[in-house]
Amino acid sequence: MKDFVTRVHLNTDCGENRARLINYCLTEDPENQCLAIGWSYDKIYPDGKSYDSFEAYYQRVRDDVKRLNPAINLFREAEKDDLFWTRDLDGFYWICRATGPAESRCVRELDIGAVIPVKAYKYSMEVPGQIKASFNRARGGIAQRIHNDLILEYSMFVYNNLSGSDHYTVHKNYKQADFLTCLPDFELEELVIAYIQIKYDYYVLSNSIANKSTTIKIECEFRSRNLGSPRKAVVQVKGGNDRTLTASDYQEYIENGYCVYLYAPHYTKDMDSD
């Protein structure tokens, strides 16, 4: 089993036919589902017929295209039981298991040049942030590998659950902190802010929420919901595995009567700390 899952956009250059492409790949024939990439034009398929092998198709594309899109190499390296995530036009995510290696397939009206045969299941509109972020990343390309042990375990668990099988061996030995590393910054901030409001009975001052283009030290301000015990607080959140917050940077807030909440993988007391 490989140590990654792959995100694939089903957006070959078929224009208004993209809905038909996704239907062709995922829902039209549940017994013959696939993931597809393009390069189906005349120079690649001069007679309109598929090649005997993916490798023959690959070499034809390589001869014609000066700079290969990385997606074609990801397809070339795909093996049975590799896991993929894709998304339909309604925003639902699909978990896909390769049932074999990539194949040459010419479907010109949908700009399909090759496919990976898969068994695919419609999952949900909500997935871990790292998967979601890979779909939404600007210039993220057709396909991208996600190297994360937790995401791999999650993907195997989802596939087993939806397929009603024990196809993959899933090790459930991860801590809560591991799940938080799968969240993109924005979703982590929202989670921490929501937790503080619920746990400590605060509400957020909406006009205090930091604009992403600023360098302000805090995400937002809070005020106590309990009128008999007036309090105010601020919070700063940093995600990732190598982010550090320095507590002394927030001394001014404490001196002005704020409670300061900090969330980050690492902390130091002051700028001179190790």
Side-chain angles (χ1 to χ4, degrees), residues 133-241:
S134 73
F135 279 91
N136 297 333
R137 187 170 293 115
R139 296 181 297 279
I142 297 171
Q144 176 190 351
R145 287 173 177 166
I146 303 173
H147 292 270
N148 182 290
D149 289 343
L150 185 60
I151 294 298
L152 178 59
E153 290 279 319
Y154 173 84
S155 302
M156 292 191 294
F157 171 79
V158 169
Y159 183 86
N160 283 356
N161 185 50
L162 293 179
S163 65
S165 70
D166 294 317
H167 194 88
Y168 297 101
T169 301
V170 180
H171 305 285
K172 302 176 182 178
N173 59 352
Y174 291 96
K175 300 177 182 178
Q176 183 181 19
D178 293 319
F179 287 94
L180 296 180
T181 64
C182 296
L183 294 176
D185 288 346
F186 179 74
E187 292 189 12
L188 179 61
E189 291 162 10
E190 285 195 327
L191 179 63
V192 172
I193 290 170
Y195 174 82
I196 291 173
Q197 292 180 89
I198 295 169
K199 177 72 174 179
Y200 300 107
D201 200 24
Y202 283 111
Y203 67 88
V204 173
L205 291 179
S206 60
N207 62 356
S208 73
I209 299 173
N211 187 304
K212 297 302 176 184
S213 64
T214 71
T215 56
I216 192 168
K217 290 181 181 179
I218 61 170
E219 306 296 346
C220 64
E221 291 185 44
F222 302 96
R223 292 294 184 270
S224 174
R225 295 178 184 274
N226 185 350
L227 297 180
S229 178
R231 293 169 290 135
K232 57 184 181 179
V234 295
V235 64
Q236 177 58 281
V237 181
K238 295 294 183 185
N241 293 318

Side-chain angles (χ1 to χ4, degrees), residues 91-106:
F92 284 91
Y93 294 87
W94 291 65
I95 182 70
C96 311
R97 177 182 66 85
T99 57
E103 304 169 355
S104 164
R105 184 181 301 178
C106 180

Side-chain angles (χ1 to χ4, degrees), residues 8-98:
V8 175
H9 277 302
L10 290 174
N11 61 347
T12 56
D13 191 17
C14 57
E16 296 178 355
N17 285 330
R18 190 176 175 208
R20 286 182 56 206
L21 166 71
I22 293 175
N23 180 58
Y24 175 90
C25 290
L26 299 176
T27 60
E28 185 174 273
D29 184 355
E31 298 303 315
N32 291 285
Q33 296 167 305
C34 63
L35 299 173
I37 53 174
W39 297 288
S40 64
Y41 50 89
D42 288 347
K43 281 190 176 181
I44 306 302
Y45 287 105
D47 56 4
K49 296 180 180 179
S50 301
Y51 291 98
D52 292 336
S53 68
F54 178 86
E55 191 62 23
Y57 156 82
Y58 177 86
Q59 293 301 329
R60 190 65 180 249
V61 174
R62 187 174 181 179
D63 290 342
D64 187 63
V65 179
K66 292 181 179 179
R67 185 175 182 180
L68 288 180
N69 189 297
I72 196 171
N73 287 315
L74 295 185
F75 268 55
R76 189 188 191 197
E77 295 164 8
E79 298 176 347
K80 183 179 179 181
D81 291 333
D82 285 357
L83 283 169
F84 299 82
W85 285 97
T86 192
R87 187 167 62 178
D88 63 26
L89 291 181
D90 294 319
F92 284 91
Y93 294 87
W94 291 65
I95 182 70
C96 311
R97 177 182 66 85

